[in-house]
Amino acid sequence: MDVKLDPSRDDLPLMANTSHILVKHYVLDLDVDFESQVIEGTVVLFFKSRNRLKKQSTSTREMCGSESNEACRVSSPEPCSSPVTTTGTFSSDMGWNDFVICGKGGKDTAGKDCHHDNREQASGVSSSKHCCGTGNHGSEDFVLVLDCCDLSVLKVEEVDVAAVPGVEKFTRSPQLMVVPEELRNQIVHELVTLPAYCWREQLDYYALCSQAPGCGELLFDTDTWSLQIRKSGVQTATDFPHAIRIRYRTKPQGRSVMWTSDQSGRPCVYTMGSPINNRALFPCQEPPVAMSTWQATAQAAASFVVLMSGENSARPAQLQEGCLSWHYYVTMPMPASTFTIAVGSWAEMKLDTCPSSNLETESSFSPSEADFRYADVCGHTEYPCRFQSASAATQAIIPYRVFAPESLKGACQETLLQLIPLCLSAAHSVLGTHPFSRLDLLIVPANFPSLGMASPHIIFLSQSVLTGMRHLCGTRLCHEIAHAWFGLAIGARDWTEEWLSEGFATHLEDVFWTQAQQLAAHKAQEHQELRACLHWRRLQDEVQNSPEGMQVLRPNKERTGHVSDSGSSVIRHGLNPEKVFMQVHYLKGYFLLRFLARRLGDGTYFTFLRRFVHTFHGQLILSQDFLQMLLENIPEERRLELSVENILRDWLESSGIPQLLPDQLVLLLEHLLEQKTLNPRTLQSLEKTYLLPQQDAEVRHRWCELIVKHKYAKAYRDVERFLLEDQAMGVYLYGELMVSEDPSQQQVARRCFELTKEQMDRSSAELVAEMLF
């Protein structure tokens, strides 16, 4: 089962067998030790098997809603014999009335293979050569496979959730047998399927169950990319323990977290957006289909602040002298790869005189319009959803906090703190309801490998955005805010379709930023056209200097979204170090969306985009989901040759830059005419990429202007051909050729005039003669 890959050139494996069993919730209890540069603790995983879905024995909704609604009361459950801190202990910005519960539509999964003895294993060293079958074939044990790398796994055990006081409310099934294993799995099943309006009590019971005693160690094995767990004699995912606890520790060189110092020289650690995601932080199911919720408690020395992906603005609790505990949770299911943590001596930044960060502004919708607009049932699996809340729909600026090393306080006050409310409000004006209820922003250490990274409820920004004018800070902030909708609330079902996140964020960053600056329409247009020109130059350069295979936005083509029978898959080029620095998914995606927005018209396109967000938030999509819905909104007469198949073929499944339509080429060439210099290699690439000599007269006219302006002698033949064959449009070019005062260009003009003057109408001939002589 050990998978040997060369990190310099191979794909990233997603090993978890999500087709048989799915993690529905994680409870992490972590101890952060800066002296050893190790995070040690436990993660408790609560599962739901695919087969159990088919034979659900009770109606959870009835259990939660019937009689006195006992199972959903917010009264605190009796404490366990082990000390436990429930979510109710901590401050939350999210109130009971913030949400209306959305309709269901969830997904399911699980199963693969292997076995091992219970002793610590260094990831990458397998002590077992005996692999078992997946699923329930024959008499082999079912094997749970989790994504895991660079971790020392110390112990895996089943959790005795039946020992939690008060949990009997989850055992009402009349068919329930007294077999302990079945009892425990039934309790977990009822817990993970509680309706969304029971979210507070559900989190409390997850916390209590995570502290319950173990009831038997499980066999496990590790290899380079995975942790395999089995229980002797258990042959199906349905019978496999539905709550397990894994005790483990990270390694200082683990690739999911970065141990470093901040700008003030103080130690810190943070998740860095590693290509291997979070599998070196905790064992998990990484395929995006494994949508889960989580809650996490982290302990660190009292001098440190812990930030995490969480709906609540955590306040520390003192465990013992010199040690604080921080607790965060999320109720919106998302892939485990989006979990983020940052621990350091961060200081909260505030303006000396500034509006409250809890500022809310008036919505452009009246309450009645907002209520009507958000009346539809959501399409995702059930969770407390802001898109069904009229108050959330009108909240233009969500609560936010800013953290950074103390040494960056002045820079944060001068730029970032002033821009956040503007950018949040601009995003809301374009896309509507913010998917997340709050936001933390952290200025990360100087070694952070990009300008920004968005995770649920938290954004990392590079210190580089704080210097100079506001433009870089504003555009990067808008880019990361856009990821709340595209990348987080709406994710790609196949991670090779990265453009669904980065292409949308790149397109929206310019739209948000012009809105945040409140530019007049013509100024906003000029700004976006200039940005398009810059993006074009960057894309063109990247296409010329990168492998063709890495320029394809949908490399799996018709097999995009497909996984093996077990649910495992690979991310194409996921471990290629070049990919981290490539912009093709950003820029090619940007130009596709710009092209589509132009085809519909900006007003129609952004109205559609709001509707798309409302339809697909909380779900995973493929490219065709977006394209199909978009094309349904384009009138037949404006579609021309557009189809899902053509767009997939020309834009997403081909390397290089797609062939543009004539009006787009005219616009592109006009942008390039505004540039003072273009080198011959760029002009040659344009000519070959877009077959410019073969385009219509409007396009060729702009192409000839570029040739003349930049004295591109290799293409003077195209100018001559235009002057001879397109006399109705060529008069202006004579003037350009003569004004250049370049002898070779003036010679082209005179030669062409001699050949055509007898055929020209008198007024044109006189005008040209005046230019030439």
Side-chain angles (χ1 to χ4, degrees):
M1 168 130 217
D2 195 12
V3 179
K4 301 294 185 183
L5 294 180
D6 181 350
S8 69
R9 67 171 188 268
D10 289 300
D11 302 334
L12 172 68
L14 301 180
M15 304 296 291
N17 50 350
T18 54
S19 292
H20 301 131
I21 194 166
L22 279 179
V23 179
K24 303 304 291 182
H25 190 78
Y26 296 91
V27 179
L28 293 118
D29 190 357
L30 307 175
D31 189 357
V32 182
D33 184 354
F34 281 93
E35 188 172 334
S36 62
Q37 294 192 340
V38 164
I39 298 175
E40 183 170 355
T42 62
V43 56
V44 177
L45 294 77
F46 295 86
F47 296 99
K48 188 176 183 182
S49 70
R50 186 172 191 176
N51 289 340
R52 185 170 289 277
L53 281 178
K54 297 176 181 177
K55 37 183 197 177
Q56 184 172 339
S57 58
T58 63
S59 168
T60 313
R61 186 173 296 279
E62 287 181 10
M63 185 194 78
C64 245
S66 62
E67 297 170 317
S68 61
N69 202 26
E70 178 184 355
C72 284
R73 294 188 185 280
V74 196
S75 55
S76 298
E78 294 182 43
C80 273
S81 54
S82 305
V84 60
T85 308
T86 68
T87 55
T89 308
F90 295 91
S91 166
S92 171
D93 291 322
M94 182 168 58
W96 275 92
N97 296 322
D98 284 353
F99 304 108
V100 178
I101 307 308
C102 305
K104 291 192 174 182
K107 299 180 173 66
D108 240 309
T109 27
K112 204 172 174 177
D113 50 87
C114 258
H115 107 177
H116 159 92
D117 58 333
N118 284 334
R119 65 175 183 268
E120 177 179 345
Q121 288 294 312
S123 180
V125 180
S126 174
S127 67
S128 172
K129 305 299 181 185
H130 304 93
C131 287
C132 313
T134 62
N136 58 349
H137 305 296
S139 59
E140 297 170 334
D141 292 340
F142 169 79
V143 177
L144 169 70
V145 182
L146 300 175
D147 293 294
C148 175
C149 181
D150 300 338
L151 292 177
S152 294
V153 178
L154 309 176
K155 181 181 180 181
V156 182
E157 63 181 347
E158 183 176 1
V159 178
D160 188 7
V161 295
V164 175
V167 80
E168 58 273 5
K169 66 179 67 179
F170 301 119
T171 61
R172 296 181 178 181
S173 172
Q175 298 140 313
L176 191 65
M177 307 299 291
V178 292
V179 178
E181 292 84 355
E182 186 174 344
L183 174 63
R184 290 191 289 270
N185 281 0
Q186 179 68 31
I187 290 169
V188 174
H189 174 72
E190 301 294 352
L191 179 58
V192 301
T193 55
L194 283 176
Y197 55 81
C198 298
W199 66 270
R200 283 191 184 275
E201 188 174 20
Q202 185 182 48
L203 287 174
D204 285 343
Y205 271 100
Y206 277 138
L208 289 168
C209 289
S210 73
Q211 296 292 331
C215 55
E217 294 191 21
L218 301 176
L219 303 171
F220 69 90
D221 191 13
T222 59
D223 60 31
T224 304
W225 297 108
S226 69
L227 167 65
Q228 307 108 44
I229 303 168
R230 67 180 178 88
K231 182 176 181 179
S232 184
V234 172
Q235 299 175 15
T236 67
T238 303
D239 297 328
F240 188 81
H242 281 28
I244 66 171
R245 179 163 44 235
I246 302 170
R247 178 166 292 281
Y248 70 96
R249 66 168 66 103
T250 65
K251 298 181 178 181
Q253 72 275 20
R255 286 169 280 173
S256 291
V257 295
M258 172 65 71
W259 298 88
T260 187
S261 297
D262 67 17
Q263 292 85 341
S264 298
R266 297 176 177 178
C268 62
V269 62
Y270 64 95
T271 46
M272 54 180 291
S274 167
I276 68 165
N277 301 310
N278 281 326
R279 68 181 71 186
L281 178 60
F282 62 97
C284 57
Q285 289 182 332
E286 287 219 319
V289 71
M291 306 271 276
S292 62
T293 53
W294 60 75
Q295 60 200 100
T297 302
Q299 296 87 38
S303 60
F304 293 102
V305 172
V306 177
L307 301 175
M308 251 190 263
S309 305
E311 293 169 19
N312 58 313
S313 297
R315 299 290 181 262
Q318 186 162 343
L319 294 181
Q320 58 194 43
E321 188 173 353
C323 183
L324 296 179
S325 173
W326 305 71
H327 183 84
Y328 291 86
Y329 62 85
V330 298
T331 59
M332 176 181 174
M334 282 173 288
S337 59
T338 63
F339 176 87
T340 300
I341 184 172
V343 185
S345 299
W346 324 121
E348 185 171 359
M349 302 289 150
K350 296 181 180 179
L351 283 174
D352 295 331
T353 57
C354 70
S356 167
S357 64
N358 289 290
L359 176 67
E360 296 179 23
T361 62
E362 294 289 329
S363 169
S364 56
F365 299 101
S366 70
S368 59
E369 289 173 327
D371 289 341
F372 171 80
R373 192 170 181 280
Y374 292 91
D376 297 338
V377 174
C378 299
H380 53 70
T381 188
E382 191 179 16
Y383 68 82
C385 178
R386 286 174 54 82
F387 283 85
Q388 287 292 312
S389 166
S391 61
T394 61
Q395 188 180 30
I397 303 173
I398 56 176
Y400 62 88
R401 306 182 299 178
V402 177
F403 293 87
E406 188 67 38
S407 60
L408 295 178
K409 180 177 181 180
C412 288
Q413 289 180 331
E414 289 174 15
T415 52
L416 181 59
L417 284 166
Q418 299 180 44
L419 292 177
I420 295 169
L422 299 176
C423 294
L424 287 172
S425 182
H428 178 270
S429 71
V430 176
L431 292 181
T433 306
H434 288 281
F436 300 102
S437 58
R438 56 172 292 275
L439 177 64
D440 283 338
L441 296 101
L442 173 66
I443 304 299
V444 285
N447 66 344
F448 185 61
S450 69
L451 289 178
M453 183 177 76
S455 301
H457 305 281
I458 186 169
I459 288 173
F460 290 172
L461 289 175
S462 165
Q463 65 178 18
S464 299
V465 306
L466 299 179
T467 56
M469 305 290 285
R470 303 193 317 168
H471 176 78
L472 179 59
C473 186
T475 54
R476 177 48 56 169
L477 182 57
C478 287
H479 182 99
E480 303 307 334
I481 288 173
H483 278 311
W485 287 269
F486 292 95
L488 295 174
I490 300 174
R493 185 149 62 91
D494 187 320
W495 277 342
T496 60
E497 294 202 295
E498 187 180 349
W499 83 274
L500 288 170
S501 173
E502 298 301 350
F504 275 91
T506 305
H507 187 234
L508 288 166
E509 73 179 49
D510 293 340
V511 178
F512 290 177
W513 182 231
T514 54
Q515 185 82 9
Q517 297 175 92
Q518 298 183 331
L519 298 179
H522 71 283
K523 288 289 185 183
Q525 182 72 15
E526 288 176 5
H527 170 83
Q528 292 185 27
E529 300 299 350
L530 177 59
R531 293 282 290 173
C533 186
L534 295 173
H535 289 326
W536 177 261
R537 294 288 298 277
R538 203 167 297 157
L539 176 59
Q540 194 174 48
D541 183 66
E542 182 149 308
V543 166
Q544 291 173 352
N545 295 285
S546 62
E548 285 193 4
M550 296 182 70
Q551 300 170 18
V552 179
L553 304 193
R554 195 171 180 258
N556 293 331
K557 298 187 177 180
E558 67 278 357
R559 293 199 55 79
T560 301
H562 288 222
V563 296
S564 70
D565 290 343
S566 71
S568 64
S569 61
V570 297
I571 305 301
R572 294 283 299 276
H573 311 300
L575 293 174
N576 191 317
E578 286 185 52
K579 188 173 183 296
V580 177
F581 302 100
M582 290 189 65
Q583 296 284 302
V584 68
H585 291 82
Y586 296 70
L587 300 176
K588 203 168 170 183
Y590 161 87
F591 279 106
L592 169 57
L593 295 172
R594 180 177 166 84
F595 160 65
L596 294 171
R598 288 297 180 93
R599 177 60 68 87
L600 265 74
D602 283 349
T604 302
Y605 174 77
F606 286 106
T607 298
F608 156 76
L609 204 58
R610 278 184 180 239
R611 187 157 59 250
F612 178 79
V613 165
H614 188 67
T615 300
F616 282 100
H617 70 274
Q619 301 173 67
L620 302 172
I621 65 169
L622 298 173
S623 294
Q624 51 264 45
D625 296 318
F626 170 73
L627 296 173
Q628 188 63 52
M629 184 171 174
L630 178 75
L631 292 180
E632 289 170 359
N633 284 265
I634 300 180
E636 275 299 334
E637 65 274 11
R638 297 179 63 187
R639 286 193 201 176
L640 300 178
E641 77 287 355
L642 283 185
S643 67
V644 173
E645 294 74 19
N646 289 347
I647 296 172
L648 291 177
R649 181 194 65 222
D650 297 339
W651 284 89
L652 305 182
E653 296 176 357
S654 301
S655 59
I657 304 173
Q659 184 69 42
L660 300 184
L661 296 176
D663 58 341
Q664 289 181 292
L665 281 172
V666 168
L667 183 62
L668 169 65
L669 296 175
E670 286 183 347
H671 290 328
L672 295 177
L673 280 167
E674 296 172 5
Q675 304 305 304
K676 290 184 178 180
T677 59
L678 288 176
N679 63 51
R681 193 177 70 168
T682 299
L683 293 167
Q684 183 180 28
S685 177
L686 277 171
E687 180 182 7
K688 290 184 176 179
T689 301
Y690 295 112
L691 305 174
L692 293 176
Q694 301 172 31
Q695 298 295 333
D696 66 25
E698 287 281 1
V699 174
R700 286 187 288 112
H701 187 273
R702 271 68 171 189
W703 169 231
C704 289
E705 289 182 80
L706 273 178
I707 294 168
V708 173
K709 179 175 180 178
H710 299 290
K711 298 179 174 60
Y712 184 43
K714 288 184 178 180
Y716 283 172
R717 64 188 181 280
D718 293 336
V719 178
E720 292 184 9
R721 177 191 161 204
F722 192 88
L723 293 175
L724 295 173
E725 298 179 5
D726 299 279
Q727 296 180 27
M729 302 176 68
V731 173
Y732 174 77
L733 277 179
Y734 282 105
E736 292 296 301
L737 288 165
M738 297 305 295
V739 167
S740 71
E741 296 185 355
D742 179 88
S744 59
Q745 290 193 359
Q746 292 179 345
Q747 186 179 357
V748 169
R750 293 189 176 104
R751 183 168 60 249
C752 290
F753 181 65
E754 286 299 322
L755 293 173
T756 59
K757 65 182 180 180
E758 300 300 331
Q759 304 164 15
M760 282 187 181
D761 69 274
R762 180 175 297 178
S763 59
S764 295
E766 289 176 354
L767 179 60
V768 172
E770 198 174 306
M771 294 178 189
L772 299 184
F773 308 107

